[in-house]
Amino acid sequence: MKRGSKRKGFTLVELLIVIVVIGILSAMMMISSTEAVSSAKAATIIGNMRAIKTAALAYYVDNVGNASSDVSIPMSAISKYLSGGAQTEIANSGCKYTVDGNTITCTVGGETNEKNRVMTKLGARATALGMTVSSTAGTITMLIFDKGAN
């Protein structure tokens, strides 16, 4: 009398189904992680611009005396007004910051797709904060002070 064979292991079809499910889950994680990275970069850029604005205002008060003057100051001049951590973060952010007269400009660098995702994330946030975003040029601009304000 022949006994029924006990099945050990998985069939090829079962293994393929598991591999496909794992592939789908990993693809979904990749999509959500790139969105999270873009959001984080946008938040970092906005935070850096705020820090640069504060440092530029401190520079104006200490050196120019009149914060409504259009004085072009190099980033190196205001770096002493930034904490060490902020200096490192700004230098390694992948964004080129310039201060010219009354404006701070950030030119977003990086691969085109990544830059577009970051600019999209910046658009909504920056506009709410009174910043100007130019997606075609890949720049975001912030006024240091409003000359019309009293």
Side-chain angles (χ1 to χ4, degrees):
M1 188 168 171
K2 192 174 182 186
R3 280 183 140 191
S5 64
K6 288 188 178 180
R7 195 173 127 189
K8 292 184 180 181
F10 298 102
T11 66
L12 183 58
V13 172
E14 290 170 331
L15 289 173
L16 288 174
I17 289 172
V18 169
I19 291 171
V20 167
V21 169
I22 290 172
I24 290 171
L25 291 174
S26 64
M28 289 172 28
M29 290 301 296
M30 291 295 290
I31 291 170
S32 65
S33 67
T34 56
E35 290 298 315
V37 168
S38 299
S39 292
K41 285 185 180 181
T44 299
I45 289 170
I46 290 172
N48 288 345
M49 290 189 73
R50 285 180 171 171
I52 293 169
K53 177 180 180 175
T54 303
L57 287 170
Y59 175 86
Y60 279 121
V61 169
D62 287 350
N63 298 299
V64 178
N66 181 3
S68 64
S69 301
D70 277 338
V71 176
S72 183
I73 49 177
M75 286 295 293
S76 59
I78 63 170
S79 64
K80 73 177 187 176
Y81 296 95
L82 297 168
S83 67
Q87 289 177 8
T88 304
E89 185 178 296
I90 288 169
N92 297 330
S93 67
C95 190
K96 182 180 181 208
Y97 298 93
T98 55
V99 179
D100 185 28
N102 189 32
T103 60
I104 303 166
T105 303
C106 165
T107 305
V108 180
E111 176 217 339
T112 304
N113 290 336
E114 178 186 350
K115 184 163 96 172
N116 290 339
R117 284 192 301 269
V118 171
M119 292 306 293
T120 301
K121 298 288 182 186
L122 275 171
R125 293 180 184 173
T127 304
L129 296 169
M131 299 177 185
T132 306
V133 178
S134 172
S135 295
T136 54
T139 62
I140 177 172
T141 305
M142 170 190 243
L143 289 176
I144 295 173
F145 46 81
D146 185 3
K147 292 181 182 182
N150 291 328

